Amino acid sequence: QVQLVESGGGLVQAGGSLRLSCAASGSMFSINLMGWYRQAPGNERELVAGITTTGTTNYAESVKGRFTISRDNTKNTVYLQMTGLKPEDTAVYYCTANARHQWSQSIQDFWGQGTQVTVSL
């Protein structure tokens, strides 16, 4: 299994910044794509940003220009720098990792427990 441990959520005023971190561990897996999703109350979970092992990124239109995803492959850690936060960014943010088992070569998706981000007016 791959364990994902998130940190960095919290309460911030509109216009403020937060940085989320997610560390992946799992000795029998090679981590491929990593990313962040979010889910607000009453809404479906949506992709926020993703990043490949080579650094190619993609973003939801709603966060382009405000959020930046990055990763440190030596630490199997992904980050989400969030600036210009808006109340509509309020959600539980989930880290995800796509990983390949080193023996079976099977590919699985893993999820973190989620971290709350609340943006107040």
Side-chain angles (χ1 to χ4, degrees):
Q1 295 297 312
V2 172
Q3 288 78 42
L4 300 173
V5 180
E6 300 143 335
S7 61
L11 174 64
V12 65
Q13 287 188 328
S17 300
L18 282 174
R19 188 193 195 208
L20 305 182
S21 300
C22 173
S25 61
S27 60
M28 296 307 299
F29 286 85
S30 297
I31 307 297
N32 302 317
L33 182 68
M34 299 187 78
W36 292 92
Y37 281 71
R38 66 186 181 186
Q39 186 168 20
N43 291 355
E44 294 185 354
R45 191 172 296 189
E46 62 175 0
L47 174 68
V48 176
I51 186 168
T52 68
T53 53
T54 56
T56 299
T57 60
N58 68 296
Y59 296 92
E61 285 295 326
S62 60
V63 307
K64 281 183 179 179
R66 300 188 297 122
F67 291 9
T68 302
I69 189 170
S70 60
R71 67 188 285 173
D72 183 338
N73 291 329
T74 64
K75 298 179 181 179
N76 276 336
T77 299
V78 64
Y79 307 95
L80 185 68
Q81 179 67 49
M82 304 184 292
T83 63
L85 282 161
K86 305 175 182 180
E88 51 263 44
D89 294 317
T90 296
V92 177
Y93 284 70
Y94 296 91
C95 173
T96 183
N98 175 271
R100 181 186 299 275
H101 193 278
Q102 295 179 8
W103 287 358
S104 70
Q105 299 297 299
S106 65
I107 296 175
Q108 300 179 50
D109 290 324
F110 298 92
W111 294 85
Q113 78 284 359
T115 185
Q116 178 70 46
V117 171
T118 302
V119 184
S120 64
L121 287 170

